[in-house]
């Protein structure tokens, strides 16, 4: 059997225009009047999958939808015992999202196989390109449905979650071509490696003018709800010194959280961010002193130590910031708390080696967003490639990566797959 | 003719129980299931007026509804050339409001006339007790409808304002018994003095354990809209140092406004308060760095100098507070701007004299809320009496004043009216 074609700088096997054409074609498969929308479980989503299935088959792959509703394109390898090397991401979008988040990774996988096909090369391992079902938060209140399923993390109770028109997730997965009755906590043991390309959704690569990012860690995410409570006094008749203004306490809490996050971020002990993204004022009337503010804090950390340091601040120091303004923190609740994910060090080094061979500038970095890779990391060596996106914008129609940036990332996938296949 | 009965400490003419019974009876005239609601222009409002009309007539007054829709009870004086001494307030409420705001002042006026009637005394001046139409912000987007009308401030264009079911204010006033066609910018010139009793709607009297407040000034109110603009970055993938977080700028603006208000309030140059009461965050999603915050600031000042000092701060120093956080103040707009109102100094001194004679503790103070008195002050000597209310709560079902507190304020009206009648 032939080996992979040896490629390096300029990787000619990956065809930038073909890759781009697919992305633009899929962008056109959108809910009319609200580009770019292809929500999981929708008819439009299935139209996008029809496009992908056809393209997978044209590239020499067989296709099927697994029990979890994932669309899989499969290219059999020469060694049936070698197992599967997988490239995955997702083709669903948020409402009025972009043309790159998710689908760029699926199309990159497709292009890698097409490049192999064009070169007449059959790898030793079987290659699977996976369009994971419903990576974005779905209308069933669950994200990463397909990658959870394939890795044994789709709990039976989750199948009873309901969405629009009271449909169960079980029924919706069936509509997508899955078979929820055979979903189990057993996981596939044939996956020898998982790679995922994704736009960065941030400005780090752009601001440092780098070609690609090699993800070593995916952050843990902890969400915290804080309620600050004062008294709803008349805004005209209550002198400043008699007020218990919940907003006045809440702004000190927000400032404290911001400043603590900056301190932890600057400490050089790993990636850390905290965001007060939700802010609800009551009664929100011009002539009433605010009586209550509810905050939702989204916190992301590369290590548990960083997260614990922050949570200690929230528990022990934050309430005093509100009390200094004469109001109370009446509730502090952890809404959700997930651990960070370490990517496979060996795969990360292979990616770095390949990037260097291709002449791509790169850095190892932390992903501040969750991805299907989080779940695959629990059952197989996993790594991710980030490509830059303009202004860091994502989940919006302005989301943009240059064709050459996407092609560079795809070439990196190709080269790394070659190295993995040779191991 | 007999003079007023001489009353002082313990003023026996004013009957505390009778006053209280009226207030409780009017409290029971409320929209079912949402105590205490008697919205202007509603059927329930007219039921409240039926109660008042009957009580006015029982106290020896003739009643009519003037062209502006005000219900007026009138007790003719002995000297037709002496003119009218007026006691007014309003019987309408906010939705789910209280039993005292407004109606306490009308019932206090009624009780003053009843006390005269019981004593068989006819004053020299004609006395009018006025239930002003729609003091609270109405569904037609206008407050103080009746007092505007009676003082020549109900502009013809305002009669075209529309409310529920596209009814015009003109038609609604007609429904209330008014005659909008004869409303003019001519004003009554027979009003020789206007008194209004109102609950304080604040905690000043309560915290200083005083019986009554004598209002010398009603604040000017300026409302300002401020928009702070940043960038809607991904909350996970955007490091702290690359963010343009609109919330981070907005909290510094809110803190700056609060601290400036405290400084002006503490300076001893008059009453001043500023409140950030409305706060709108966009996109208000946990995983997105806030891109915009809209604030509405309600500012109230005893003097124009205080207000101008504050507005200079807003124009010249406030934007830098947001810019220091890397974001912009994209808009600063004056939504409304009304001058303060000076009450009549002579009437204020009469009130103080009467309070001292009655043994009531008092202070001269600024009203932080607007009242019908604002409009009457433009055509006649005007003064207000505040009575304490529990915890300063108002515009809510918990609104409360003790029977003895209301009776003390009513006795003060009686004594002051006696002094006015004797002048």
């Amino acid at each position: 059997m032939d080996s992979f074609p040896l490629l390096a700088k300029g990787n000619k096997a990956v065809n930038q225009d073909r890759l781009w054409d697919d992305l633009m074609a899929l962008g056109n498969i959108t809910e009319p009047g609200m580009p770019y929308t292809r929500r999981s479980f929708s008819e439009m989503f299935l139209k996008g999958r029809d496009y992908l299935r056809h393209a997978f088959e044209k590239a020499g792959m067989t296709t099927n939808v697994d029990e979890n509703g994932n669309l899989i394109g499969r290219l059999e390898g020469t060694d049936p015992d070698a197992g599967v090397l997988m490239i995955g991401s997702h083709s669903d979008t948020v409402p009025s999202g972009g043309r790159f988040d998710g689908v760029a990774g699926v199309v990159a996988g497709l292009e890698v196989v097409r490049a192999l096909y064009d070169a007449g090369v059959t790898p030793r391992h079987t290659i699977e390109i996976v369009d994971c079902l419903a990576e974005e938060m779905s209308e069933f209140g669950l994200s990463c449905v397909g990658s959870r399923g394939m890795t044994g993390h789709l709990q039976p109770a989750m199948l009873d979650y309901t969405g629009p028109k009271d449909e169960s997730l079980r029924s919706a997965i069936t509509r997508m071509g899955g078979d929820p009755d055979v979903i189990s906590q057993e996981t596939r043991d044939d996956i020898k490696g998982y790679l995922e390309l994704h736009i960065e959704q941030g400005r780090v690569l752009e601001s440092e003018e780098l070609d690609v990012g090699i993800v070593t860690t995916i952050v843990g995410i902890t969400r915290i709800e804080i309620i600050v409570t004062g008294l709803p006094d008349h805004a005209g008749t209550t002198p400043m010194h008699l007020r218990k203004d919940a907003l006045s306490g809440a702004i000190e809490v927000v400032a404290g959280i911001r400043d603590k996050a900056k301190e932890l971020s600057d400490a050089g002990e790993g990636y850390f961010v905290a965001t007060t993204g939700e802010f609800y004022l009551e009664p929100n009337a011009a002539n009433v002193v605010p009586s209550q503010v509810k905050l939702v804090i989204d916190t992301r950390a590369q290590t548990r130590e960083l997260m614990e340091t922050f949570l200690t601040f929230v528990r022990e120091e934050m309430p005093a910031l509100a009390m200094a303004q004469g109001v109370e923190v009446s509730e502090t609740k952890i809404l959700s708390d997930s651990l960070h994910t370490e990517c496979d060090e060996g795969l990360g080094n292979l990616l770095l080696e390949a990037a260097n061979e291709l002449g791509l500038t790169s850095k190892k970095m932390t992903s501040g967003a969750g991805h299907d890779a989080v779940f695959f990391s629990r059952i197989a060596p996993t790594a991710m490639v980030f490509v830059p996106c303009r202004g860091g914008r994502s989940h919006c129609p302005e989301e943009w990566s240059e064709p050459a940036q996407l092609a560079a990332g795809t070439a990196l996938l190709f080269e790394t797959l070659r190295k993995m296949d040779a191991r």
Side-chain angles (χ1 to χ4, degrees), chain A:
Chain A
M1 95 200 139
D2 200 4
S3 71
F4 269 58
L6 255 182
L7 293 163
K9 208 156 178 136
N11 180 308
K12 290 294 190 299
V14 166
N15 184 325
Q16 173 178 314
D17 295 339
R18 189 165 59 180
L19 177 72
W20 187 254
D21 289 347
D22 281 333
L23 280 173
M24 294 304 105
L26 280 155
N28 285 333
I29 303 174
T30 174
E31 299 294 341
M34 53 183 302
Y36 298 94
T37 305
R38 212 167 41 242
R39 294 289 287 152
S40 54
F41 303 107
S42 69
E43 287 303 308
M44 201 54 72
F45 174 75
L46 289 174
K47 283 189 188 168
R49 281 202 156 175
D50 283 345
Y51 182 99
L52 285 170
R53 182 182 294 103
H54 182 256
F56 284 179
E57 290 173 358
K58 203 171 154 197
M61 291 184 269
T62 57
T63 59
N64 80 299
V65 172
D66 74 4
E67 64 270 27
N68 313 289
N70 300 306
L71 170 66
I72 303 179
R74 183 174 167 107
L75 181 74
E76 293 296 334
T78 55
D79 178 358
D81 298 330
V84 171
L85 298 179
M86 190 174 272
I87 298 176
S89 199
H90 60 96
S91 71
D92 66 315
T93 72
V94 297
S96 297
R99 288 165 286 183
F100 303 89
D101 176 359
V103 71
V106 179
V107 170
L110 162 64
E111 180 55 27
V112 165
V113 172
R114 256 186 324 222
L116 291 174
Y117 183 79
D118 287 351
V121 173
T122 307
R124 189 167 67 85
H125 293 78
T126 293
I127 310 293
E128 288 189 8
I129 311 301
V130 187
D131 172 23
C132 296
L133 181 63
E135 191 267 353
E136 304 288 0
M137 178 57 71
S138 69
E139 289 178 303
F140 297 83
L142 196 69
S143 62
C144 295
V145 173
S147 51
R148 284 177 201 268
M150 206 189 280
T151 60
H153 290 83
L154 192 58
Q155 313 295 342
M158 293 173 175
L159 294 171
D160 295 326
Y161 288 6
T162 55
K165 297 180 186 169
D166 270 344
E167 186 186 24
S168 68
L169 180 58
R170 180 189 312 276
S171 151
I173 290 174
T174 307
R175 270 201 297 113
M176 295 301 105
D179 186 357
D181 291 342
V182 303
I183 296 177
S184 76
Q185 268 52 63
E186 299 293 310
T187 63
R188 285 180 58 168
D189 59 3
D190 59 337
I191 306 173
K192 303 304 175 192
Y194 174 86
L195 292 176
E196 181 169 355
L197 175 146
H198 206 281
I199 60 167
E200 183 200 340
Q201 303 181 278
R203 287 200 294 274
V204 173
L205 295 174
E206 182 181 74
S207 65
E208 300 184 21
E209 297 184 352
L210 297 172
D211 295 322
V212 289
I214 296 164
V215 177
T216 54
T217 312
I218 299 171
V219 289
I221 307 179
T222 303
R223 288 205 176 151
I224 309 163
E225 181 182 286
I226 296 173
I227 296 178
V228 179
T229 304
L231 280 180
D233 288 310
H234 191 297
T237 59
T238 313
M240 300 307 288
H241 70 281
L242 290 180
R243 297 177 173 215
K244 293 181 183 297
D245 181 343
L247 177 60
S248 188
I251 62 174
E252 301 300 337
V253 168
V254 172
I257 283 167
R258 173 195 68 197
D259 295 343
K260 188 71 186 177
K262 281 184 179 168
E263 179 194 321
L264 291 175
S265 166
D266 289 348
E269 289 168 15
Y271 187 81
F272 185 87
V273 290
T275 309
T276 304
E278 295 183 45
F279 195 105
Y280 303 95
L281 191 74
E282 286 185 14
N284 216 21
N287 64 346
V288 185
V289 176
S291 58
Q292 184 179 291
V293 178
K294 185 172 91 175
L295 311 170
V296 178
I297 321 295
D298 177 293
T299 312
R300 307 193 183 207
Q302 185 177 348
T303 70
R304 193 63 197 175
E305 289 68 33
L306 280 166
M307 188 64 85
E308 290 292 348
T309 302
F310 183 77
L311 292 174
T312 300
F313 164 82
V314 167
R315 275 190 301 268
E316 296 179 5
E317 297 175 49
M318 181 274 290
L321 300 174
M323 284 167 65
Q325 297 297 326
V327 297
E328 299 292 326
V329 171
S330 56
E331 190 166 314
T332 304
K333 188 161 69 179
I334 304 289
L335 298 177
S336 62
D337 190 17
S338 69
L339 280 176
H340 62 284
T341 298
E342 299 283 2
C343 290
D344 184 75
E345 196 180 345
L347 269 191
N349 289 336
L350 273 195
L351 279 163
L352 183 61
E353 202 179 295
N356 289 340
E357 287 170 14
L358 285 166
L360 300 175
T361 55
S362 68
K363 76 180 285 186
K364 289 193 171 178
M365 63 188 294
T366 295
S367 169
H371 294 288
D372 289 310
V374 166
F375 288 95
F376 286 103
S377 74
R378 300 178 184 179
I379 64 162
T382 290
M384 286 192 75
V385 173
F386 273 173
V387 295
C389 61
R390 192 158 66 198
R393 302 297 304 279
S394 183
H395 284 193
C396 60
E398 296 75 31
E399 192 178 83
W400 186 262
S401 285
E402 293 295 334
Q405 291 173 322
L406 291 160
T410 306
L412 179 56
L413 281 190
F414 186 103
E415 290 297 316
T416 306
L417 195 74
R418 187 179 64 76
K419 289 176 187 290
M420 290 163 77
D421 192 50
R423 287 202 299 191

